Amino acid sequence: LLMAMSAIGPVSLNILVPATPGLAVIFDTKVETVQLTLSLYLLGLAISQLVLGPLSDRFGRKPVLLAGLFITTAASLAAIYSTSIEMLIVWRTLQALGASSGLVIGRAIIRDLYSRDRAASMIGLVTTVMVLAPMAAPLIGGILDTAVGWESTFILTGVFAGAVLIWAYFS
């Protein structure tokens, strides 16, 4: 579960990269504008990490994690219905705000549950996913974009985040 939670952020960031040129054509805009879906995603990811850690200390790990996963799931699925690049940028930024919950809270959970030596080992496993996910996500995104369309990348990330949300709820 910790590995899946930690993979959501990197996967949802990188899965859209291959669709960038096509989105410029679809939304009749410049590639530079479409790249804001990546830049603002990274900004949202960075800012929310600073906020979610203290929130999880205050309100507990699970409620904040579930809220973040819900936001990611909802924003991913809402992005499918974007009719403008501006709308897509907003949904991507919201997607990032929730996606960082797995990154931040996953590490906090590890520190809560394991001794120092075991925690280092567990963080190593989680980091492995964070290294592999950005390598696999563009490949998956490119295949989905070519075969089905850019919306399918958001369907996949929404379903993935939703599945992790359900898994975390019942854990």
Side-chain angles (χ1 to χ4, degrees):
L1 177 59
L2 293 172
M3 293 171 81
M5 288 170 19
S6 297
I8 292 172
V11 166
S12 57
L13 167 64
N14 293 292
I15 200 166
L16 191 64
V17 172
T20 301
L23 288 172
V25 173
I26 291 166
F27 289 117
D28 191 29
T29 190
K30 297 177 182 176
V31 172
E32 293 82 8
T33 305
V34 176
Q35 288 174 343
L36 285 172
T37 62
L38 302 173
S39 301
L40 292 178
Y41 183 99
L42 286 169
L43 181 63
L45 201 67
I47 290 171
S48 63
Q49 286 183 54
L50 297 173
V51 174
L52 291 175
L55 283 177
S56 75
D57 290 339
R58 170 90 166 102
F59 298 108
R61 307 284 187 236
K62 193 168 187 175
V64 176
L65 174 66
L66 295 177
L69 292 171
F70 177 79
I71 290 168
T72 301
T73 302
S76 297
L77 297 176
I80 297 164
Y81 301 102
S82 295
T83 56
S84 68
I85 191 61
E86 294 81 11
M87 187 183 288
L88 183 62
I89 290 168
V90 168
W91 290 124
R92 280 285 285 176
T93 305
L94 286 172
Q95 184 187 42
L97 295 177
S100 69
S101 64
L103 298 169
V104 173
I105 297 172
R107 286 197 173 107
I109 290 170
I110 290 170
R111 285 192 308 273
D112 292 345
L113 295 178
Y114 298 104
S115 67
R116 182 181 170 137
D117 292 338
R118 182 75 174 129
S121 173
M122 292 300 292
I123 288 174
L125 286 172
V126 170
T127 303
T128 301
V129 169
M130 291 177 56
V131 170
L132 296 175
M135 291 188 312
L139 174 64
I140 294 166
I143 292 168
L144 288 173
D145 180 44
T146 302
V148 187
W150 65 272
E151 297 93 343
S152 62
T153 62
F154 288 104
I155 292 170
L156 179 65
T157 55
V159 168
F160 178 46
V164 174
L165 170 64
I166 292 167
W167 188 3
Y169 179 80
F170 288 107
S171 292

